[in-house]
Amino acid sequence: MQGYALKRTVLHSEGATPREKLVGLVSPLPPEIGGVASVADALLRAGPRNGMSYVPFSVPPTSRDRIGGGLPTLRGAARQGLRLAAFLRWLSNRGPNLIHLMLSSTRPGLLRDGLMAAMVRLSGRSCICHIHVVRESGLRPWVYRLLQAAGCHFVAITTVGQNTLASRGVDARLIRNPCKDAFLDLKSRLPNSDVQAERILFVGAFGPSKGCLEIVDALAGPHLRRSSSVLRIIGPPESSRAANTIERQALRNGVRDRVEFVPAITDPTQLRTEYMGATVFCLPSHHEASPITVLEAMMMELPVVATPVGGIPELVVDGESAVLVPIGDSGALGAALASLLEAPARRRSLARAARRAAVQAAHPDLIARQWRELYDRFK
């Protein structure tokens, strides 16, 4: 992880020209998995093409440091303390005058990131707080307002998040998530008719809150019971018990042989292959911000079935570029999946519309230019 940060610094910072905008990027970075790391990676790759030179500082996600209730463990607190010390050294030695900080949504992470933002402002630098998941519970709104009062600027990734922040007295600019370069090229995309088995693809941290129980129930339901379709889940479990919960449900429903579990894939080329081999992408989450995997599926011309949560309705039009189903409704989910699995022409129509929508909303160069416009407002 640190090697990645150093590599990116050498490639895109030390060779910066006077016309390039130099920005410190504080975020989880690959090989970390998750949407925030994916967004950071997309910006690092698109930045040089759009006049931006990033100096990255890697911070690990804080989910590994939490007990069930979200309280930090002693080991986790020590790890974050060491990271804060490293950040202070980085800021003192090489930190640019403008810092782009990915603000965590967890309590331990927000505490760490709030302290980092305070260090940035105390050093006289400008700070942009980039919020992916806006939570209203606990002290989070107070932290947001305190950071704004300290001179930090905010960016939200969805209109829902932007409006939520506004209701709490925090002004935020809207810049959506970018898709990675790796998913732009469709030259090697397999037509759906070439896929031998009907494959329903899920990518991301899986578990009950992501609607995986509903997908398993849909497989056993009246619409898909006699289908040969297979559910392929790629990613880590969202909790220590999530994998067992999903597997038990599949066994109970008699569809365990139709559910495949694949570890998280960090290589975009390999992940492209998974999208190319799928028939339908499915993400029936109970809550989301703006899922990167939906953008990836859309960009790869894969029809999407999802729930109307978070920023998903801002990316797609129900019935035109995706199919949206009610949260927790396995019957409606099964009917939606069956309607696509049985209709190749409709799949193609949805997939092409999804590709157009993704290019218009999330092309990495488009998003990079929006960030450059914001960066240029700071000296």
Side-chain angles (χ1 to χ4, degrees):
M1 182 161 50
Q2 187 64 28
Y4 177 91
L6 290 173
K7 180 181 178 182
R8 303 309 303 183
T9 300
V10 170
L11 288 178
H12 302 312
S13 297
E14 293 178 2
T17 68
R19 299 184 65 181
E20 287 182 320
K21 192 71 176 182
L22 192 63
V23 182
L25 182 62
V26 182
S27 171
L29 299 170
E32 298 288 357
I33 59 175
V36 179
S38 293
V39 169
D41 188 45
L43 290 176
L44 286 166
R45 296 179 188 280
R49 300 195 300 266
N50 293 278
M52 296 179 294
S53 182
Y54 286 107
V55 181
F57 179 85
S58 180
V59 290
T62 56
S63 57
R64 70 185 65 164
D65 298 328
R66 288 181 292 161
I67 308 173
L71 297 174
T73 63
L74 289 176
R75 179 179 296 179
R79 182 183 294 117
Q80 297 304 330
L82 291 173
R83 207 67 194 139
L84 281 171
F87 175 75
L88 184 57
R89 291 193 299 271
W90 174 83
L91 194 64
S92 301
N93 295 334
R94 64 192 306 174
N97 289 329
L98 174 60
I99 304 298
H100 178 161
L101 173 63
M102 303 282 192
L103 209 60
S104 175
S105 63
T106 68
R107 281 181 286 181
L110 184 58
L111 174 61
R112 175 202 64 200
D113 295 347
L115 290 171
M116 286 183 173
M119 292 177 189
V120 172
R121 294 301 296 138
L122 286 171
S123 71
R125 294 171 170 85
S126 299
C127 184
I128 298 173
C129 293
H130 188 179
I131 303 184
H132 291 251
V133 180
V134 179
R135 299 189 191 275
E136 298 184 81
S137 59
L139 296 176
R140 291 179 179 88
W142 290 94
V143 174
Y144 300 153
R145 286 195 291 269
L146 283 172
L147 291 177
Q148 181 174 254
C152 294
H153 300 261
F154 284 79
V155 170
I157 64 171
T158 65
T159 302
V160 173
Q162 184 184 36
N163 292 338
T164 301
L165 288 169
S167 71
R168 295 292 185 164
V170 178
D171 297 325
R173 186 186 180 103
L174 175 65
I175 301 180
R176 300 193 186 280
N177 282 341
C179 194
K180 287 185 179 181
D181 289 350
F183 302 99
L184 298 179
D185 180 20
L186 288 179
K187 291 180 181 178
S188 55
R189 175 74 173 97
L190 296 174
N192 288 121
S193 57
D194 290 348
V195 179
Q196 294 182 355
E198 295 176 337
R199 181 177 294 172
I200 301 166
L201 181 65
F202 175 98
V203 179
F206 69 89
S209 76
K210 296 294 186 175
C212 292
L213 289 175
E214 286 84 62
I215 312 179
V216 171
D217 288 343
L219 282 180
H223 300 287
L224 297 176
R225 185 182 300 126
R226 294 180 176 83
S227 167
S228 61
S229 56
V230 172
L231 169 62
R232 189 167 175 85
I233 297 175
I234 300 176
E238 65 180 3
S239 68
S240 58
R241 290 179 286 186
N244 287 336
T245 299
I246 304 303
E247 187 167 15
R248 283 199 303 268
Q249 188 79 347
L251 287 168
R252 190 179 301 116
N253 290 349
V255 294
R256 180 61 185 87
D257 60 330
R258 295 170 59 195
V259 179
E260 302 171 351
F261 294 95
V262 179
I265 297 175
T266 57
D267 179 9
T269 302
Q270 187 179 351
L271 192 54
R272 269 178 54 88
T273 302
E274 294 291 344
Y275 284 117
M276 289 191 292
T279 313
V280 177
F281 180 81
C282 186
L283 187 70
S285 296
H286 298 182
H287 52 79
E288 283 287 352
S290 184
I292 293 293
T293 54
V294 167
L295 284 175
E296 292 171 351
M298 292 170 65
M299 200 69 82
M300 291 296 297
E301 279 195 359
L302 187 61
V304 172
V305 177
T307 42
V309 296
I312 292 177
E314 300 175 26
L315 298 174
V316 302
V317 176
D318 185 22
E320 181 179 316
S321 52
V323 177
L324 302 182
V325 298
I327 300 170
D329 191 336
S330 60
L333 179 62
L337 290 169
S339 70
L340 293 180
L341 294 173
E342 296 167 1
R346 186 170 183 233
R347 288 203 306 270
R348 287 193 292 271
S349 176
L350 281 173
R352 289 167 182 163
R355 165 76 179 188
R356 290 193 296 270
V359 169
Q360 292 172 4
H363 193 288
D365 288 335
L366 169 69
I367 303 303
R369 287 193 292 270
Q370 293 176 8
W371 278 107
R372 176 60 195 258
E373 180 186 345
L374 177 57
Y375 295 156
D376 282 344
R377 298 188 177 192
F378 300 88
K379 294 181 180 180

